[in-house]
Amino acid sequence: MATLSGLCVLLLAALSRAVAGDNVTPVYFTDGDVLTLNVTRSDTKPIQNILWKFNGNLLAERVQNKAPLELFGTFIGRTDLSIADARLVVRNMSKADTGAYSVEINSKVHAQSYDAKWIKVLRQPEVVMRPLTCSPVSESCTLSCEADTTEAGPVTHSWKMGVNQLKVSTKDMQINKTDHVNDETITCLISNPLGEQVSAPINNPFYVAPTNNTPGIVVPILLVLCVVVVVVVVLVLWKRKLGPFKNRDATKTVSTTLSPLGGVSGTPSEEHGLTEKGVNETA
């Protein structure tokens, strides 16, 4: 019976460790960062005491209404602990702070823990083309996104062809003259949990500039010009055709209204009488 009880205790302990292991959250930092560790609780009971540990050693402890915050070791003077939600904040992190962070709430080990890892900030990568003799006459070329990623943590790579973001998660990528003629430039991106760095763009050896497709614009312009020319010619011809008729009408009007002497003419009889009267008076 005692053996069975001992076996049950071992099984429960192993199960607890397995559950705790499933809740280990990796977090990343670099020199000078602020590390914030939040705790997710399903228990609604008020927190009476909190104990944080770093690699199994005491880090911070606080007891509600009984003892103020107590810090230990290298965490003194740069650590805060919230009694309300058990959140731990550590400032001015360094590589020495790499390790496991666990917490006990109300004297019980919480399932959630953290694995804090120090990593380097990424530097700008460079696109390297292989072979170096890659040219428009080549069938294909290999691109490599080169950067120092030592101790940079998990690093992902992606590529941008022209303005199109490609979902490529490898350091190297192959291009060819068939599928990449429309992409003028090539850029690579690398990222880690601390941020992202983008390379300077390089020219794509397989890029083919689009031809100047002007007919689509020229044709409508030419049509409009033709219409304008036709309208102008028609107007000119119309005016020229009506010109003699307008002059003839004007001549007729003048001849019937003006006398040879520049006065106003009347009827033939009146004009004859006036002439005779003038002769008689003169005589």
Side-chain angles (χ1 to χ4, degrees), residues 80-139:
D80 294 323
L81 177 58
S82 171
I83 192 66
D85 54 11
R87 182 178 69 252
L88 182 74
V89 178
V90 183
R91 298 177 297 276
N92 195 25
M93 295 287 288
S94 67
K95 196 172 184 178
D97 298 321
T98 300
Y101 291 76
S102 59
V103 61
E104 296 178 10
I105 300 176
N106 293 338
S107 302
K108 294 182 180 180
V109 176
H110 194 65
Q112 187 177 10
S113 62
Y114 291 90
D115 182 18
K117 300 179 180 181
W118 178 91
I119 61 176
K120 291 194 309 183
V121 176
L122 291 171
R123 296 184 179 275
Q124 185 181 30
E126 178 186 6
V127 178
V128 177
M129 190 172 297
R130 296 187 179 89
L132 297 178
T133 56
C134 181
S135 67
V137 297
S138 303
E139 291 297 327

Side-chain angles (χ1 to χ4, degrees), residues 268-282:
S269 60
E270 291 176 347
E271 185 179 353
H272 181 69
L274 288 174
T275 303
E276 290 182 349
K277 182 178 179 181
V279 172
N280 293 329
E281 289 178 353
T282 303

Side-chain angles (χ1 to χ4, degrees), residues 10-25 109-113:
L10 291 175
L11 289 174
L12 288 174
L15 181 61
S16 298
R17 286 193 297 270
V19 171
D22 290 341
N23 287 280
V24 176
T25 303
V109 176
H110 194 65
Q112 187 177 10
S113 62

Side-chain angles (χ1 to χ4, degrees), residues 32-226:
D33 278 357
V34 175
L35 180 68
T36 301
L37 304 179
N38 296 304
V39 178
T40 302
R41 299 182 64 220
S42 58
D43 189 357
T44 58
K45 294 180 180 179
I47 297 177
Q48 299 299 324
N49 58 79
I50 307 169
L51 176 63
W52 274 94
K53 292 183 178 181
F54 169 64
N55 289 333
N57 301 314
L58 297 179
L59 187 162
E61 184 176 18
R62 189 168 185 176
V63 180
Q64 177 77 317
N65 300 326
K66 291 184 179 181
L69 173 63
E70 185 175 3
L71 302 174
F72 302 89
T74 60
F75 296 95
I76 296 174
R78 61 188 183 101
T79 305
D80 294 323
L81 177 58
S82 171
I83 192 66
D85 54 11
R87 182 178 69 252
L88 182 74
V89 178
V90 183
R91 298 177 297 276
N92 195 25
M93 295 287 288
S94 67
K95 196 172 184 178
D97 298 321
T98 300
Y101 291 76
S102 59
V103 61
E104 296 178 10
I105 300 176
N106 293 338
S107 302
K108 294 182 180 180
V109 176
H110 194 65
Q112 187 177 10
S113 62
Y114 291 90
D115 182 18
K117 300 179 180 181
W118 178 91
I119 61 176
K120 291 194 309 183
V121 176
L122 291 171
R123 296 184 179 275
Q124 185 181 30
E126 178 186 6
V127 178
V128 177
M129 190 172 297
R130 296 187 179 89
L132 297 178
T133 56
C134 181
S135 67
V137 297
S138 303
E139 291 297 327
S140 64
C141 299
T142 299
L143 305 174
S144 182
C145 189
E146 297 291 342
D148 182 10
T149 58
T150 305
E151 294 186 295
V155 177
T156 58
H157 299 77
S158 58
W159 293 88
K160 181 182 290 186
M161 303 293 296
V163 296
N164 300 314
Q165 185 75 33
L166 300 183
K167 297 180 179 180
V168 179
S169 58
T170 57
K171 179 180 177 181
D172 300 324
M173 181 180 69
Q174 190 176 58
I175 60 174
N176 56 66
K177 60 171 36 176
T178 304
D179 300 328
H180 301 94
V181 295
N182 298 321
D183 305 314
E184 185 174 2
T185 59
I186 303 170
T187 309
C188 81
L189 301 85
I190 57 175
S191 60
N192 71 355
L194 299 181
E196 180 182 89
Q197 291 290 338
V198 183
S199 73
I202 67 169
N203 293 327
N204 176 13
F206 301 130
Y207 173 69
V208 177
T211 57
N212 189 13
N213 189 19
T214 56
I217 300 176
V218 172
V219 170
I221 294 176
L222 291 177
L223 289 176
V224 172
L225 290 176
C226 289

Side-chain angles (χ1 to χ4, degrees), residues 250-267:
T251 304
K252 288 181 178 180
T253 304
V254 172
S255 63
T256 55
T257 57
L258 296 178
S259 66
L261 297 178
V264 178
S265 62
T267 62

